[in-house]
Amino acid sequence: MDIGIKIKNARIKANLTQDQVAEVLGVSRQTISNWENEKTYPDIVSVVKMSDLYEISLDLLLKGEKPMSNYLDYLEESTNVVKSKNKFSKLILIMIYLVIWAISLIVFWFFTSGSDAMGYSIMFLWVLLPVTTFVLSMLIGKNDYWGKWKWISAIVFGVMYMLAEYATFRVANMASSDKINMPSFGMIPVGIIVSLFGLGIGVGIDHLKIWLTELL
């Protein structure tokens, strides 16, 4: 049995809510939820405090039916597994966005003619990239990637959205008119708003999941 399930079962047997445990440990409810869902792992000090709070020995709380020579080694091993999974998931999200972003530029320069410009604008700049931004932002919020820094990703998405428009239409205009065009900075707020909307829904889903877990 994994440590997340163990500490969750111990909390439930102690008739404590995540809010109550969070208050005693001096952490957020989200942190307790992340521990129990194995998104992150508690440090040894927090484990000791939970052992006292749940009135269960460290041996039973962590070891269960399996022998374990060292609590710190066990926690470190579990934490490293979670960190590796999180890093891989974050990398996948970043790669998905960059690939779609790059495809939008490739389609513009190699497969779009002047008569297709309006269709391209609608398909890529006003549908594909915003939808991708929304979905990935929602996943970031739902999984709490980068913690409190996740909100900074909205700015990154906004800048990338502006660069997509600049690297296509504005660069094409410069090439045909020999005039230097500045980026359309008004595109940044559009990307930010779409991203914040996705982040907000993702965080809401995560909180709803926590609330439902408390009820069950």
Side-chain angles (χ1 to χ4, degrees), residues 58-108:
L58 276 173
D59 188 70
L60 185 59
L61 179 62
L62 294 181
K63 289 169 59 176
E65 300 296 328
K66 298 180 180 180
M68 180 175 53
S69 60
N70 189 292
Y71 298 123
L72 288 175
D73 289 343
Y74 179 70
L75 287 173
E76 182 179 4
E77 179 182 354
S78 300
T79 300
N80 288 337
V81 171
V82 171
K83 286 181 177 179
S84 296
K85 290 181 178 178
N86 283 342
K87 287 181 179 179
F88 182 72
S89 297
K90 294 174 186 176
L91 180 61
I92 290 297
L93 287 180
I94 293 172
M95 292 303 298
I96 288 174
Y97 182 81
L98 291 178
V99 167
I100 293 176
W101 189 89
I103 288 176
S104 69
L105 268 62
I106 293 172
V107 170
F108 178 86

Side-chain angles (χ1 to χ4, degrees), residues 25-60:
L25 298 186
V27 297
S28 67
R29 178 183 176 181
Q30 181 68 52
T31 298
I32 301 298
S33 175
N34 287 343
W35 289 347
E36 293 184 355
N37 289 293
E38 298 186 350
K39 292 181 180 178
T40 58
Y41 274 84
D43 56 75
I44 189 62
V45 174
S46 296
V47 173
V48 172
K49 289 182 179 179
M50 282 188 285
S51 173
D52 293 336
L53 181 61
Y54 300 157
E55 297 182 350
I56 182 174
S57 68
L58 276 173
D59 188 70
L60 185 59

Side-chain angles (χ1 to χ4, degrees), residues 41-193:
Y41 274 84
D43 56 75
I44 189 62
V45 174
S46 296
V47 173
V48 172
K49 289 182 179 179
M50 282 188 285
S51 173
D52 293 336
L53 181 61
Y54 300 157
E55 297 182 350
I56 182 174
S57 68
L58 276 173
D59 188 70
L60 185 59
L61 179 62
L62 294 181
K63 289 169 59 176
E65 300 296 328
K66 298 180 180 180
M68 180 175 53
S69 60
N70 189 292
Y71 298 123
L72 288 175
D73 289 343
Y74 179 70
L75 287 173
E76 182 179 4
E77 179 182 354
S78 300
T79 300
N80 288 337
V81 171
V82 171
K83 286 181 177 179
S84 296
K85 290 181 178 178
N86 283 342
K87 287 181 179 179
F88 182 72
S89 297
K90 294 174 186 176
L91 180 61
I92 290 297
L93 287 180
I94 293 172
M95 292 303 298
I96 288 174
Y97 182 81
L98 291 178
V99 167
I100 293 176
W101 189 89
I103 288 176
S104 69
L105 268 62
I106 293 172
V107 170
F108 178 86
W109 287 106
F110 295 97
F111 301 99
T112 302
S113 62
S115 60
D116 299 327
M118 180 60 70
Y120 170 88
S121 179
I122 294 174
M123 175 61 70
F124 287 91
L125 293 183
W126 297 108
V127 176
L128 184 60
L129 286 179
V131 169
T132 300
T133 295
F134 172 80
V135 172
L136 296 186
S137 295
M138 185 172 64
L139 291 175
I140 291 172
K142 178 179 177 296
N143 294 287
D144 196 34
Y145 291 145
W146 296 289
K148 63 182 180 180
W149 298 104
K150 62 179 173 289
W151 301 102
I152 301 297
S153 64
I155 298 177
V156 176
F157 280 121
V159 172
M160 292 299 292
Y161 188 53
M162 175 201 69
L163 291 177
E165 191 271 345
Y166 181 78
T168 52
F169 288 100
R170 292 189 177 270
V171 171
N173 287 336
M174 283 193 290
S176 61
S177 63
D178 293 328
K179 294 182 179 179
I180 297 178
N181 293 326
M182 294 296 293
S184 178
F185 295 105
M187 301 289 287
I188 295 179
V190 176
I192 290 177
I193 290 173

